[in-house]
């Protein structure tokens, strides 16, 4: 018997954590997301950072000009610094949230926050204005413990600002997943790669620079906890790829840049993963509906059809090597319908 081709339709998929960069890199990567997603949360860790009105509006204009006719909503973020109440009032209609990076923990975060206790005035204003706080939750501790060591800070902030929506970005540990059920105002994004790889895939055999990212992939039991929550579409979590392109010479280098480029293969790989776990019914919530509820956003109406026909992942997109480069994935995108 011949297997019939199966179909999955996803309505308005959202990527709630995404690095677009600027200039030539943005030209390469933005169309790959704007084709198959209805919107994405755009990270502000550029050089210089997106932390003032001019940078914000300039970056948004660049993104929109590259998105062109595609139906794709860029949800903008600001790089956390101390902002006044008046500034935040002005920013509010133009941003989805503010992204806090502890200083020096990852790419372009040197001007991040050095002391959390000096940030509380801004957080209070954000709470009053209803602006969510997105956090890269890692310390400078031992690399496998960095996320765990940050968790008390999440708990402190969640208690201190109970009306502030706090998003634990790209969590990687079972302990972080457990926190979602302890504090009403904590939410999280999950990447694709942390649902698939562990530290072994990165460093257990030959070193795989294209699987190196921050936070670093963890233990099998951590991945299992993430996967369990994802396939159930736990209502406090959202898909956020953290797709983070770097040119090949910065990845295959002595001193490899952190970041995994997953945007063009994310939906195909998620369908495969959810199918393997008999959870295709929950994929719509994981890649769109949960995020719409958590952030209160309504993305453009767009439907993406995938079919169970193999898709060969390109070796490169411009100068960037994607996750699964050169491999065959069992699902491909066959149709994109813009419904408006
Ligand atoms: O791996 C990462 N790459 N993690 C981050 O937090 C930042 C990102 C990037 O901007 O390259
Ligand atoms: Zn990121």
């Amino acid at each position: 018997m011949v297997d019939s081709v199966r179909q999955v339709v996803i309505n308005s998929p959202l990527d709630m954590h995404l690095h677009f960069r600027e200039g030539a890199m943005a030209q390469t990567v933005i169309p790959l997301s704007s084709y198959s997603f209805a919107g994405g949360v755009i990270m502000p860790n550029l050089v210089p950072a997106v932390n003032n009105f001019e940078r914000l509006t300039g970056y948004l204009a660049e993104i929109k000009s590259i998105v062109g006719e595609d139906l794709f909503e860029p949800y903008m973020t600001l790089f956390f610094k101390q902002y006044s109440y008046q500034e935040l009032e002005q920013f509010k209609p133009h941003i989805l949230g503010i992204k806090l990076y502890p200083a020096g923990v990852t790419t372009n975060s040197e001007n991040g926050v050095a002391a959390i206790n000096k940030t509380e005035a801004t957080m209070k204003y954000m709470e009053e204005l209803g602006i969510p706080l997105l956090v890269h939750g890692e310390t400078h501790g031992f690399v496998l413990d960095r996320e765990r060591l940050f968790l008390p800070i999440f708990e402190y902030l969640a208690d201190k600002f109970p009306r502030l929506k706090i998003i634990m970005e790209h969590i990687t540990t079972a302990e972080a997943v457990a926190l979602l059920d302890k504090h009403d105002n904590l939410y999280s994004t999950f990447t694709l790669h942390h649902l698939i790889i562990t530290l072994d895939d990165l460093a257990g055999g030959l070193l795989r620079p294209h699987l190196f990212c921050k936070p670093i992939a963890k233990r099998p039991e951590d991945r299992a906890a993430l996967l369990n929550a994802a396939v159930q579409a736990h209502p406090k979590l959202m898909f956020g790829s953290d797709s983070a392109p770097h040119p090949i010479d910065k990845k295959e280098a002595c001193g490899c840049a952190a970041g995994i480029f997953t945007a063009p293969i994310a939906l195909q790989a998620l369908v495969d993963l959810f199918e393997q776990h008999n959870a295709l019914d929950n994929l719509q919530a994981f890649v769109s509906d949960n995020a719409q509820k958590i952030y209160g956003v309504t993305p453009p109406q767009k439907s993406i059809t995938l079919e169970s026909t193999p898709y060969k992942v390109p070796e490169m997109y411009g100068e960037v090597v994607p996750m699964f480069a050169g491999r065959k994935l069992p699902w491909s995108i066959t149709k994109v319908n813009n419904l408006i």
Side-chain angles (χ1 to χ4, degrees):
M1 219 179 79
V2 183
D3 274 357
S4 55
V5 172
R6 283 156 299 131
Q7 256 192 11
V8 170
V9 178
I10 305 175
N11 291 315
S12 300
L14 295 172
D15 185 341
M16 302 309 281
H17 184 131
L18 188 53
H19 295 268
F20 270 171
R21 318 299 191 204
E22 294 174 272
M25 182 63 91
Q27 299 270 357
T28 301
V29 303
I30 289 175
L32 301 168
S33 289
S34 67
Y35 171 67
S36 55
F37 284 86
V41 177
I42 314 305
M43 290 297 129
N45 61 331
L46 307 180
V47 183
V50 180
N51 66 3
N52 60 52
F53 219 78
E54 200 188 329
R55 282 293 275 153
L56 182 69
T57 51
Y59 191 33
L60 179 59
E62 180 180 11
I63 292 169
K64 283 191 164 163
S65 80
I66 300 172
V67 165
E69 300 291 297
D70 282 347
L71 267 192
F72 180 89
E73 184 68 32
Y75 298 109
M76 303 303 287
T77 61
L78 281 179
F79 194 93
F80 191 101
K81 65 177 186 188
Q82 299 196 51
Y83 294 103
S84 70
Y85 189 87
Q86 287 71 21
E87 284 174 306
L88 292 178
E89 260 184 324
Q90 286 173 359
F91 280 127
K92 183 172 175 190
H94 307 280
I95 59 172
L96 191 77
I98 300 185
K99 174 76 186 284
L100 187 154
Y101 290 92
V105 294
T106 190
T107 311
N108 302 336
S109 63
E110 294 73 21
N111 296 320
V113 167
I116 288 280
N117 57 5
K118 299 228 175 82
T119 62
E120 296 189 359
T122 301
M123 289 186 192
K124 185 90 207 128
Y125 304 149
M126 291 169 64
E127 183 183 39
E128 284 169 24
L129 288 164
I131 299 175
L133 174 70
L134 288 59
V135 182
H136 183 120
E138 288 197 287
T139 67
H140 289 280
F142 177 66
V143 69
L144 284 176
D145 295 336
R146 286 175 191 176
E147 182 173 290
R148 198 166 48 75
L149 294 170
F150 197 91
L151 296 182
I153 300 177
F154 276 126
E155 296 216 70
Y156 169 79
L157 295 176
D159 285 338
K160 175 121 193 174
F161 303 106
R163 287 178 300 115
L164 178 66
K165 275 190 181 159
I166 302 173
I167 323 296
M168 303 189 285
E169 293 293 336
H170 46 52
I171 57 175
T172 59
T173 55
E175 290 96 325
V177 176
L179 268 198
L180 289 173
D181 294 323
K182 272 186 68 187
H183 297 268
D184 285 348
N185 55 334
L186 286 184
Y187 302 86
S188 76
T189 53
F190 281 18
T191 72
L192 168 72
H193 46 275
H194 291 113
L195 295 175
I196 295 179
I197 64 169
T198 69
L199 186 56
D200 258 3
D201 296 288
L202 161 66
L206 295 178
L207 190 67
R208 303 287 177 198
H210 298 291
L211 297 180
F212 174 61
C213 64
K214 300 280 179 69
I216 204 160
K218 304 288 190 311
R219 310 180 66 86
E221 49 272 37
D222 292 308
R223 179 183 56 183
L226 294 171
L227 200 48
N228 183 44
V231 297
Q232 293 183 45
H234 186 299
K236 295 182 85 185
L237 66 88
M238 313 167 259
F239 174 62
S241 68
D242 199 14
S243 178
H246 292 275
I248 187 167
D249 63 309
K250 296 282 188 294
K251 292 292 290 175
E252 297 182 4
C254 170
C256 164
I260 305 181
F261 182 51
T262 53
I265 55 97
L267 286 183
Q268 300 91 321
L270 280 173
V271 171
D272 183 27
L273 190 67
F274 273 61
E275 188 193 35
Q276 284 176 37
H277 292 84
N278 294 319
L280 279 175
D281 287 350
N282 289 336
L283 184 57
Q284 178 64 37
F286 180 67
V287 292
S288 186
D289 298 357
N290 285 359
Q292 294 187 41
K293 287 183 198 140
I294 292 169
Y295 276 112
V297 293
T298 306
Q301 293 298 301
K302 180 170 179 177
S303 86
I304 316 299
T305 304
L306 295 100
E307 286 184 2
S308 58
T309 50
Y311 168 65
K312 176 142 190 301
V313 180
E315 298 285 351
M316 303 272 289
Y317 290 91
E319 288 183 278
V320 192
V321 177
M323 188 177 180
F324 298 137
R327 298 224 324 238
K328 263 197 192 153
L329 300 180
W331 289 83
S332 26
I333 295 174
T334 53
K335 198 161 48 161
V336 173
N337 269 351
N338 295 336
L339 301 178
I340 289 178

